[in-house]
Structures are given as structure tokens and as C-alpha cells.
Amino acid sequence: MHTIRLSLPQQAYDIVIAPGGIAKLGELMSGLNLGKKVLLVSNSTVFQHYGGRAIVSLENAGFEVSSCNLPDGEQYKTLTSVEKLYNTALENRLERSSTMVALGGGVIGDMTGFAAATWLRGINFVQVPTTLLAMVDAAIGGKTGVNHPQGKNLIGAFYQPKLVLIDPQVLQTLPEREFRAGMAEVIKYGVIWDAELFAQMEACDRLDHFQYLSENLLQEILMRSCQAKVDVVSKDEKEAGLRAILNYGHTIGHAVESLTGYRVVNHGEAVAIGMVAAGQLAVNLGLWEQASQDRQLALIQKTGLPTKLPTGIDRDAIVDALQTDKKVKAGKVRFVLPTQMGVVKVTDQVSSQAIYQVLQRMYI
Amino acid sequence: MHTIRLSLPQQAYDIVIAPGGIAKLGELMSGLNLGKKVLLVSNSTVFQHYGGRAIVSLENAGFEVSSCNLPDGEQYKTLTSVEKLYNTALENRLERSSTMVALGGGVIGDMTGFAAATWLRGINFVQVPTTLLAMVDAAIGGKTGVNHPQGKNLIGAFYQPKLVLIDPQVLQTLPEREFRAGMAEVIKYGVIWDAELFAQMEACDRLDHFQYLSENLLQEILMRSCQAKVDVVSKDEKEAGLRAILNYGHTIGHAVESLTGYRVVNHGEAVAIGMVAAGQLAVNLGLWEQASQDRQLALIQKTGLPTKLPTGIDRDAIVDALQTDKKVKAGKVRFVLPTQMGVVKVTDQVSSQAIYQVLQRMYI
């Protein structure tokens, strides 16, 4: 069991990495002053695998548990789904001292967090991420929210959980494509923060399936990725400055996701494409070496993630979509660009011309 | 011009009471680092009176202004209205540094605040309350939110404005019934916090219409009420303890509002009824003197507010509705009860029996 503490000005909480940890969920939540009532939120696939185990653990620890499954998929990350959680919270008479537990991937975590942030103006919240993507990214740092029909995560709140419990064993049941999606964020941490993590992954022969990772490498990936996220978030909870670096690959990534209706390309795949684009932008602007960009491209390819734009999206649509991104400031699109392995800079000095040029090379 | 500073651990802001202040809105917002784009949110009645003046002032100060009117009335304080604000924010490409300004009563302020709290995970927010109720209560302290079909303010967030601007001159166009509703909260501050404010109102011959208040008494009412709210909120932003005293009259008040579908009885009227009930409960429990309860009853009556339950509500429905209140803790309903003029205590030791007994006497 490995614990990372995330300390913020108003609160602090633990990220616990514990193989088999779901069976200890209730125990870990005891003593955190989380009230008696728990609403466990999941989707039916994840719930079938781990819901029973979580509920038994919670009940054994004395919690009174109700549960609610939401439909799976980014297209259901909407206010309508959150309203379903509000109704369930009301039916079960959740109180301000009660707790919502998110058992699932980023979609479940983001929606549950937003519902917890806004039900009775804020109740307790615990994250039990079950995808690699959620473990290393979405579940840590307090970003919650839902999509607007015209843009991802436009509606939301910064709201911190009281505990994040990561049980690496659940990755055994994660679909291959979902595993790869999470690896995109892990590669991101390598490029923006932790060159050693990047090198460790380079040293592994195959990365395109969970089964090729040694237990040791998986542990390193989880620990180093969570630590990177904690390092950044603890310095800048509400994205006033430094936190923006976590959006490496996300500027164009978000546009790609949005333009494909959140169906064709998943979040990690979009980030992979976005990282290739951002890396090439950095090379073209003289900020980064082509050799480093080649290393990034090779690692992304080894993970089995896409490096080209999906067919049917045109460049104009992407450049236009960038304008509605949350990270737009005074009308200027902000890019996170690498300068050396493990180091990036944030800039809004990227011309549409430069973006067009890079995108042009990214069609299959 | 009178300024009260509200200081909280993470932020501080001014409540400015300034006759004619709307014409200075832009000027007052300058220098607060509120970005360039402003979305002015109002309803068509208020907008017709003051929208033009506010926009001119904002534009003269260099802001780029768009506006959106929402339908008037508690029944429109819904997620659907907030979604309209999200769409307007998107159309006008509001950024994280942009500002939503609420020009209106509590309904407009609560919804605009919630939209600002949740759009792009939080943008700037300014309150320009135009009802007495909003001036002395809703606009101060950061409670934002909307109603759930089954309960008032069940969905929301604590989110502080960057400025509250109170222009007493706008009360001249406030309907009489709305004015009285605000007086209910002013009387509340007298009972829970400021016996001198209570005495000043007692000394005035008539209180049932704005025109009977001297300019001096109005100024006292605004200053003392805002100060009372600031005193309490600055000690307990998120209602962990002390802030609960602001709910004096609101426990039964909320149930009455909810059971009449937010149409028959307005918020202030419901609070007036709730204060009569809470006062009598306190007397019956031996906490408060009958003479003080009589003073409270007389002042409420002088203001023209109701002191009896509306016809058609039965006691069982009220007692049942109390269970879904946000302030329920471990299944126990919390009451704020006066012990002497200007002092209250919070208790969950009130039996359903005691509540029935008091309600029985409150039918016409």
C-alpha cells in the first residue's frame, strides 16, 4: 500500500494505491468523518465486477449504502445524468454529512463529483477510479463536471474528494482500448514532468496491453503519475497558472473529441493525437528537438495509440473549435509545448498558420 | 456611500450601499480584475427600469456587455433557466476571466451565481440586488442555487461574488408585497442578532410600505442587516455552525413555501410565518418569554406580513416536508429558537408533538 498526500490551503486528502483495496474501502473511509449514508455511483459493467465487494466493505464498516448506476459513455456525461443522481440523493434522503462514492472511470467520477459538489451545496465525495485514465488523472485534483452539447466539461466545479482509492487489480477487467487511453496520460506525465517515467516506459518491450506490464512497472506508473498530478495540483488548485501544463495534448485533443461527437475517438486517443500535434508545433517553432518528438511518437505508437487525425475532420473545424475551449484567454488559444523531456512551457503565441501546417501532416 | 467588507479565508469583497449606485456600476467594477466581457442577467421588468443604466455604466468603463433576461418568479429558479445562461455564455464566448452580473432579486441572483460557479468551473460574479430581500440576505454570503421539483435550493454551490452593489433608490419601483417580504428578513436580523435594529423598527409608526420609512431608517435597516449577515458569514462561510442561525424562521418557512408550490406564499411571507412558529415553539419549550414573542408578532403584523398558515396545508404535510430540508442532520430537524431579543440557539431537540401543537394554533 502506497499513500500520497495532496495538501491544499483549505483541505488535504490521501490517494491510496492498494492492490485489492476495494475490499478495504469501508475501513479506509472510517475515521474520515463521512456521515452514515453512502450513495455508491457506478455503471452496470463496473458494478457487476466490483459493486458487491464495495458494498459489503462499506456495510461492514457501518455505512448505510444505496446505489445508482448511470449509463456508460462520454455521451451520457450530461446534466440529465446528474439530475438522476439528484433524484436518487433525494429518494435516499442524503444529508450534508453524507457521501457519494464514485466507482468507475472518469465519466462516473466527473459526474458524481459534480453532483456531490452541488447537492445541498456540497456533500462528501470519494473517488474509486476503475480505469487507468481515471486513476492517474481524472480522479485526482478536484475537477468535476459534465459536457455541454457544444463542448466538453464546460459545466463543472472544482471540488475535492475526501479520499481517492486506487486498486490496480481492477485493471485486469479493463478493455484493452481503455487501458491504452490511460497510457496516453501516463506518457503525458513523462513529457511534461517526469523524464525518468518516460524512460522507464521506453525500456519496456511492449506497452499495448496491460498483460505486458510487470507488476513493478505498473506500480511505478501509478505512483509517478499520481505524484506528478499531486505536485502540480497542490501548487495550483484552480488552474491559475502551473496547472495548465496538465493540458498538454488537450488543446487539439479536446477539439478532436468534440468534433467526433465523443464517439469515434476516446479521450486518451485524442490526447495522444494532441500530443503529437503539440510536439510537432514545438519542433516547428524551434522550441523542441526533432529527436525528442521522434521519441514521443515512438512511445505513443508502441502503446498502440493513434498518432494521426481521424478521417473526416477538417483543419478549419479544428481551428474554429479551439476558440470555444475553456483555456482560451482574451481570445487567444493557449498551447502547452515541450522544450525538453520532462519540461514544458505554456504559450498563447501560436498562429493559426502554424496550427494548420502541423495538422496538414497529420492525415493518414 | 457606505462600504462593508466581507473577509473570508480565501477571499474578501465589498458590499457597497450607494444611492444611485447603478450608474456607477462600471466604475466600481473597474480595478477588480474582472476581465473584459460581462454578461448582465436580469428579468424583463427589472431590466426595463435599470438595465439601460447598468449597461451604459459598464460600457463607459470599457466592458464588453451582453445581456440575458430570465423569466421572473421562484417557479423558474430551475436548472432549465441555468442552462439558458450556459447557452448565452457560450454564444458570447465568455472566458474564465469574464463576469456574470446579476441585476434583480434573489431568484436572479441565486441562478446567476450558480451559473457563474459552474460555467467553465467558475467565472467572476457580481451581485446588484434590486429587492429588499436580496439586498439584506440573498446577495450576501455566497449561497447560490436552484430549486429541485421536490425542494427549494437543493441544488447549488457556495460561491462568493466579487462585489455586491446595493442601490436603495431602486426600492421605489419594488412592489409593496416584495418590500414586505424583505422586511421579514430584516425582522429576523433583529431577533437573532441586533436587538437595537428591532427596537428602531418598533419605534416607527408604519412599516407596511416603503414610503413610510424615513431615509434614515432605511439606511439603518440596510446597514445593520448587511452587517449582521457579514458578521455571521465571515465566521462560518459554509454553514458548519453559527451560520445556521440565519435559518431562523426558515425551517417551517421552507416547508410552507414548498407545499404551496412557491406560488401562494413568497419567501418573506413564509419566513414570517416560520418566525411566529419558531418563537411560539421557544415559548412552549420555556426558552423565550411570551412578552418577547408578542413583540415579534406585533412587529410582523405592523409590517403587513402573515402570521397564520395559509389554508389548505395540513400539519402532517409540514412535519413530513421538514425531513427533506437541507438542514436535517442524522434524521433530526434543526430549529433556530430565540432565547432573548437578539440571541438565538440552534437545537435538534424539538419533538414532532411540539411542532404539531404550535401549528395547530396557527390556522386562521
Side-chain angles (χ1 to χ4, degrees), chain A residues 10 86-87 90 93 95-96 118 120-121 143-144 148 150 154-156 239 323 326 329-331, chain B residues 10 86-87 90 93 95-96 118 120-121 143-144 148 150 154-156 158 239 323 326 329-331:
Chain A
Q10 297 258 35
Y86 292 151
N87 294 337
L90 188 79
R93 301 206 161 176
E95 303 172 0
R96 276 205 182 152
T118 53
L120 310 184
R121 297 201 186 91
K143 280 196 179 180
T144 72
H148 184 277
Q150 286 175 64
L154 292 178
I155 299 158
E239 208 163 19
Q323 291 295 330
K326 280 192 303 302
K329 202 169 177 180
Chain B
Q10 296 258 35
Y86 292 150
N87 293 338
L90 188 80
R93 301 206 160 176
E95 303 172 359
R96 276 206 181 152
T118 53
L120 310 184
R121 297 202 186 89
K143 280 196 179 180
T144 72
H148 184 277
Q150 287 175 62
L154 292 179
I155 300 159
F158 287 98
E239 209 164 19
Q323 291 296 330
K326 279 192 303 305
K329 203 168 177 180

Side-chain angles (χ1 to χ4, degrees), chain A residues 4-15 32-34 113 116-117 121-127 139-144 157-164 230 233-238 243, chain B residues 9-10 158 237-238:
Chain A
I4 300 169
R5 184 89 174 155
L6 175 47
S7 292
L8 296 165
Q10 297 258 35
Q11 61 204 306
Y13 59 94
D14 284 339
I15 296 139
L32 295 179
N33 194 22
L34 299 180
R121 297 201 186 91
I123 68 173
N124 295 313
F125 169 45
V126 166
Q127 289 268 22
I140 301 169
K143 280 196 179 180
T144 72
F158 288 98
Y159 197 71
Q160 301 294 338
K162 301 287 181 182
L163 170 73
V164 180
V230 164
V233 170
S234 62
K235 286 180 183 127
D236 176 25
E237 182 184 1
K238 295 193 177 165
R243 188 162 177 166
Chain B
Q10 296 258 35
F158 287 98
E237 182 184 2
K238 294 191 177 166

Side-chain angles (χ1 to χ4, degrees), chain A residues 219-237:
Chain A
Q219 180 77 4
E220 282 286 307
I221 280 175
L222 292 172
M223 277 169 44
R224 284 179 174 271
S225 297
C226 291
Q227 190 65 56
K229 180 99 188 225
V230 164
D231 288 348
V232 173
V233 170
S234 62
K235 286 180 183 127
D236 176 25
E237 182 184 1

Side-chain angles (χ1 to χ4, degrees), chain A residues 8-85:
Chain A
L8 296 165
Q10 297 258 35
Q11 61 204 306
Y13 59 94
D14 284 339
I15 296 139
V16 177
I17 303 171
I22 287 184
K24 293 177 196 148
L25 175 61
E27 193 184 316
L28 288 162
M29 281 173 58
S30 295
L32 295 179
N33 194 22
L34 299 180
K36 194 173 169 56
K37 290 189 181 182
V38 167
L39 174 61
L40 181 75
V41 183
S42 194
N43 65 51
S44 58
T45 311
V46 171
F47 189 84
Q48 273 173 32
H49 282 115
Y50 307 108
R53 208 178 299 174
I55 289 173
V56 166
S57 169
L58 287 164
E59 289 183 343
N60 284 345
F63 292 102
E64 193 180 296
V65 188
S66 51
S67 68
C68 178
N69 287 333
L70 295 174
D72 194 14
E74 189 77 32
Q75 70 272 32
Y76 296 107
K77 195 171 127 179
T78 60
L79 275 185
T80 305
S81 295
V82 170
E83 286 187 78
K84 191 176 166 193
L85 290 183

Side-chain angles (χ1 to χ4, degrees), chain B residues 2 26 61 74 82 102 106 120 139 150 177 223-224 261 288 303 340:
Chain B
H2 181 83
E74 189 78 32
V82 170
L120 310 184
Q150 287 175 62
R177 190 174 169 195
M223 278 168 44
R224 285 180 174 269
W288 208 28
T303 313
Q340 60 184 76

